[in-house]
């Protein structure tokens, strides 16, 4: 998402492995991508990344694997595992999900928060309320500790003109939601007095990744992030079209790659997508 801030969303536990997204911010926007270089990345790794359907531009080696598309962390396991799903396609303009989604419905997923200021807890409960108001077969419940999704803090300042706002991920192959959302407490991310509505929208977006949603403008991240148009292609991580969602660009979706810096919640097509899956 981009607010002229950059969201770094996500860890993806796809095919039993872990892929990490991240939201970051620059002086102009909040987007879910980060500019990086290809130094330290071998030709073999770049080929594997390309085979997974991700861009090999601006790839960077990080502690847990390789950061691609600015906000996705691919682990070594992700680079070698193949999708077993026949329902993987090149994403175009429709909303779409990962191969893995949350299973064993109906179910309630617990969410807890630890070592974060009170405003983050309020925002978490607000985000949960927004999902539960849709009366899906997948519901969320706030608990004091030990949630199936745990929201934790980290403190990291700007780097290379960007700052990470938060990170989250995709469901596991066993059908559980990704189990952690990280939120940046550095004042450069949300300021010294974070706006609760904005935090709510960020957490709402990260929870969307945890239950299997990819970016609405995955086919062309420039739609919300600006810059050069990028279509990530037929990713083995899963780009499965959700029937009933629009065949044109969808403004104001809660899963746009980059935030507008405001309180973005579900639009009508988001609700169609959520109701289709859950």
């Amino acid at each position: 998402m981009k607010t002229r801030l950059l969201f770094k969303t996500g860890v993806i536990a796809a095919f039993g492995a872990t892929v990490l997204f991240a939201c970051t911010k620059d002086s102009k926007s909040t987007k879910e991508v980060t500019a990086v270089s290809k130094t330290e990345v071998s030709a073999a790794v770049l080929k594997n990344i390309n085979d997974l359907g991700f861009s090999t531009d601006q790839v960077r080696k990080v502690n847990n694997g390789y950061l691609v598309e600015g906000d996705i962390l691919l682990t070594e396991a992700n680079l070698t595992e193949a999708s077993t799903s026949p329902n993987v396609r090149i994403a175009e303009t429709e909303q779409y999900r990962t191969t893995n989604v949350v299973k064993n419905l109906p179910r309630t997923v617990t969410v807890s928060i630890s070592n974060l200021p009170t405003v983050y807890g309020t925002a978490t409960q607000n985000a949960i309320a927004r999902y539960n108001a849709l009366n899906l077969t997948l519901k969320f419940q706030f608990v004091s500790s030990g949630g199936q999704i745990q929201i934790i803090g980290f403190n990291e300042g700007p780097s290379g003109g960007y700052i990470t706002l938060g990170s989250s991920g995709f469901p596991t192959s066993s059908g559980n939601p990704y189990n952690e959302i990280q939120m940046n407490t550095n004042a450069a991310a949300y300021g010294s007095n974070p706006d609760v509505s904005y935090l709510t929208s960020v957490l709402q977006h990260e929870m969307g990744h945890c239950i299997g949603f990819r970016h609405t403008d995955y086919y062309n991240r420039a739609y919300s992030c600006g810059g050069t148009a990028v279509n990530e292609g037929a990713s083995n991580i899963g780009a499965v079209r959700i029937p009933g969602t629009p065949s044109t660009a969808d403004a104001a979706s809660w899963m746009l790659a980059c935030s507008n810096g405001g309180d973005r919640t579900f639009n009508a097509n988001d609700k169609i997508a959520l109701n289709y899956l859950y």
Side-chain angles (χ1 to χ4, degrees), residues 159 176 245:
S159 176
N176 292 317
T245 57

Side-chain angles (χ1 to χ4, degrees), residues 98-113:
T98 56
T99 301
N100 298 325
V101 295
V102 178
K103 300 176 182 177
N104 301 317
L105 303 171
R107 68 185 289 185
T108 297
V109 173
T110 56
V111 182
S112 63
I113 185 168

Side-chain angles (χ1 to χ4, degrees), residues 44 47 58 111 115 127 150 154 214 247:
K47 181 181 184 303
Q58 300 178 332
V111 182
N115 300 319
Q150 298 186 26
F154 69 101
R214 300 207 67 164
S247 59

Side-chain angles (χ1 to χ4, degrees), residues 179-253:
N179 64 4
E180 185 177 87
I181 294 172
Q182 296 188 31
M183 297 291 286
N184 197 350
T185 59
N186 191 280
Y190 297 104
S192 58
N193 184 26
D195 178 76
V196 66
S197 295
Y198 184 55
L199 285 177
T200 297
S201 68
V202 173
L203 284 160
Q204 186 177 347
H205 178 99
E206 302 298 344
M207 289 169 68
H209 282 309
C210 288
I211 63 174
F213 281 90
R214 300 207 67 164
H215 296 140
T216 306
D217 53 349
Y218 173 64
Y219 73 101
N220 179 8
R221 297 173 63 89
Y223 178 72
S224 68
C225 300
T228 304
V230 176
N231 184 324
E232 295 175 7
S235 171
N236 286 347
I237 297 301
V240 183
R241 185 180 70 84
I242 298 175
T245 57
S247 59
T248 56
D250 189 19
S253 170

Side-chain angles (χ1 to χ4, degrees), residues 63-201:
N63 288 339
N64 297 323
Y66 299 90
L67 192 66
V68 305
E69 298 291 351
D71 67 349
I72 302 171
L73 179 70
L74 297 174
T75 65
E76 296 289 349
N78 290 135
L79 297 180
T80 57
E81 290 188 343
S83 171
T84 58
S85 170
N87 195 17
V88 177
R89 56 166 289 162
I90 296 176
E92 294 167 359
T93 53
E94 303 86 349
Q95 294 193 27
Y96 48 96
R97 62 172 175 84
T98 56
T99 301
N100 298 325
V101 295
V102 178
K103 300 176 182 177
N104 301 317
L105 303 171
R107 68 185 289 185
T108 297
V109 173
T110 56
V111 182
S112 63
I113 185 168
S114 60
N115 300 319
L116 283 167
T118 301
V119 66
Y120 288 81
T122 301
T124 298
Q125 294 181 68
N126 289 349
I128 288 172
R130 291 181 180 183
Y131 277 97
N132 289 346
L134 300 180
N135 293 315
L136 306 173
T137 56
L138 176 65
K139 298 187 184 302
F140 296 95
Q141 179 183 354
F142 185 79
V143 294
S144 60
S145 62
Q148 292 163 310
I149 297 176
Q150 298 186 26
I151 301 172
I152 63 174
F154 69 101
N155 189 321
E156 180 180 275
S159 176
Y162 296 92
I163 186 167
T164 299
L165 298 180
S167 66
S168 66
F170 290 160
T172 66
S173 57
S174 60
N176 292 317
Y178 185 71
N179 64 4
E180 185 177 87
I181 294 172
Q182 296 188 31
M183 297 291 286
N184 197 350
T185 59
N186 191 280
Y190 297 104
S192 58
N193 184 26
D195 178 76
V196 66
S197 295
Y198 184 55
L199 285 177
T200 297
S201 68

